[in-house]
Amino acid sequence: MNQANEKNSPLIVMKNINKYYPVGKNQLHVLKNLDLTIERGEFLMIMGKSGSGKTTLMNIFGFLDTISDGEYLFDEQDVSKLTENQKSDLRNKYLGFIFQQFFLIQSLNVRQNVELPMVYEGKRKDRERQDVAKKYLDMVGLDTKEKSKTTELSGGQQQRVAIARALVNEPLLIMADEPTGALDSETSADIMAILTGLNKEGKTIVMVTHDNDMTKYASRVIYMKDGLFLDEEAYKHA
Ligand SMILES: Nc1ncnc2c1ncn2[C@@H]1O[C@H](COP(=O)(O)OP(=O)(O)OP(=O)(O)O)[C@@H](O)[C@H]1O
Ligand SMILES: [Mg+2]
């Protein structure tokens, strides 16, 4: 296991964070005085209707966007003090992203897509990269599709390629924004089986969903509305 995964400190601590987007002359208040701690090993789900701020929060977790004020500590480091280069390094080393639309590169075959985070990392030789990619393709049940074009795969297979790609650098945190949003319920269950398996092995997972049926897979659920966290009862009646 990754050394940083063995610490007792929380992986993520957010204190009183706000996010504003400038819209014309106004400021849109998208995240409102949020406090959140994510412990290592959690499978946290963020539920909320469209526009509630889920993706904005995920982008902040992943250093793809910044908070307007408040404090964000990732693995005890103050993210506001990191340079863009440091953030890119941390992102590539510690974070794995999975999206609703997969974002595979069509000009590359399946295995080459999975190799990409290792290419960015720039540490491994070609042969080693290929072996690692094959190992993760095997894990998601796609060992026979190594040389296929991504356009020849079903949606569920494409999402499995994206999961393999998210895993090759052995991230501390897997972030999945609506990973089953484009999939039918049976294929979604296959994807959730992979994610829950990874969580049982110790990976911390944060997943965004609209779908109440997904919450059964979570170890904790956060409910969002209009940039606020609500408790479950308040959310149901909101
Ligand atoms: N770059 C931006 N500039 C201005 N406003 C933005 C920007 N990104 C998001 N917003 C606004 O912030 C709010 C939250 O958006 P966000 O994408 O986080 O919602 P979401 O909960 O992920 O919704 P969905 O379920 O539709 O993906 C929305 O009102 C959106 O219009
Ligand atoms: Mg979103």
Side-chain angles (χ1 to χ4, degrees):
M1 206 186 272
N2 196 316
Q3 210 180 359
N5 219 7
E6 290 167 8
K7 293 185 196 165
N8 288 321
S9 59
L11 188 57
I12 283 177
V13 178
M14 286 183 161
K15 288 186 194 149
N16 203 20
I17 64 140
N18 284 284
K19 179 67 182 177
Y20 302 89
Y21 284 119
V23 178
K25 287 184 189 155
N26 300 318
Q27 300 275 341
L28 187 64
H29 198 179
V30 178
L31 300 177
K32 300 171 181 165
N33 301 307
L34 300 182
D35 289 311
L36 177 64
T37 298
I38 304 178
E39 303 290 345
R40 291 160 211 271
E42 282 200 82
F43 192 150
L44 180 69
M45 238 174 244
I46 302 174
M47 273 279 294
K49 296 208 176 85
S50 185
S52 55
K54 306 179 301 293
T55 295
T56 304
L57 186 59
M58 290 287 262
N59 287 341
I60 290 170
F61 288 151
F63 325 131
L64 297 165
D65 203 345
T66 55
I67 51 178
S68 304
D69 56 60
E71 190 177 43
Y72 172 23
L73 305 176
F74 180 88
D75 194 22
E76 301 183 298
Q77 297 175 81
D78 185 343
V79 175
S80 69
K81 299 212 166 82
L82 302 173
T83 64
E84 287 304 317
N85 274 340
Q86 287 172 319
K87 284 194 263 191
S88 298
D89 285 349
L90 278 184
R91 195 182 298 125
N92 200 45
K93 192 168 168 197
Y94 289 139
L95 306 180
F97 293 89
I98 302 166
F99 303 95
Q100 178 174 356
Q101 300 303 341
F102 324 132
F103 293 128
L104 302 178
I105 296 178
Q106 294 187 0
S107 59
L108 301 178
N109 71 25
V110 164
R111 195 195 66 218
Q112 289 165 332
N113 268 278
V114 176
E115 283 180 51
L116 272 184
M118 295 182 279
V119 174
Y120 297 140
E121 186 196 35
K123 284 188 186 152
R124 299 184 226 224
K125 297 210 168 74
D126 291 5
R127 183 58 201 269
E128 193 189 342
R129 277 206 315 262
Q130 291 172 15
D131 288 346
V132 173
K134 280 188 208 167
K135 177 177 120 183
Y136 284 99
L137 281 170
D138 197 19
M139 203 209 88
V140 297
L142 286 180
D143 42 317
T144 61
K145 300 285 184 190
E146 191 197 329
K147 299 224 169 74
S148 300
K149 291 183 183 164
T150 60
T151 48
E152 291 164 356
L153 302 182
S154 69
Q157 289 171 332
Q158 289 184 57
Q159 193 58 298
R160 284 190 272 157
V161 175
I163 292 173
R165 179 184 59 188
L167 292 174
V168 288
N169 282 351
E170 306 213 339
L172 275 181
L173 175 64
I174 297 170
M175 298 203 297
D177 195 346
E178 297 269 2
T180 61
L183 305 175
D184 61 54
S185 57
E186 199 177 322
T187 315
S188 296
D190 294 342
I191 296 299
M192 293 314 297
I194 294 173
L195 292 179
T196 47
L198 289 164
N199 180 245
K200 287 206 178 77
E201 287 166 17
K203 292 272 185 240
T204 311
I205 302 181
V206 182
M207 172 174 153
V208 162
T209 184
H210 281 105
D211 185 353
N212 213 7
D213 290 346
M214 290 292 149
T215 56
K216 61 177 181 268
Y217 298 105
S219 60
R220 179 159 64 116
V221 186
I222 283 178
Y223 298 90
M224 275 189 92
K225 184 173 193 280
D226 297 336
L228 292 167
F229 294 151
L230 302 184
D231 66 38
E232 189 177 355
E233 277 309 301
Y235 181 80
K236 276 187 194 153
H237 296 106

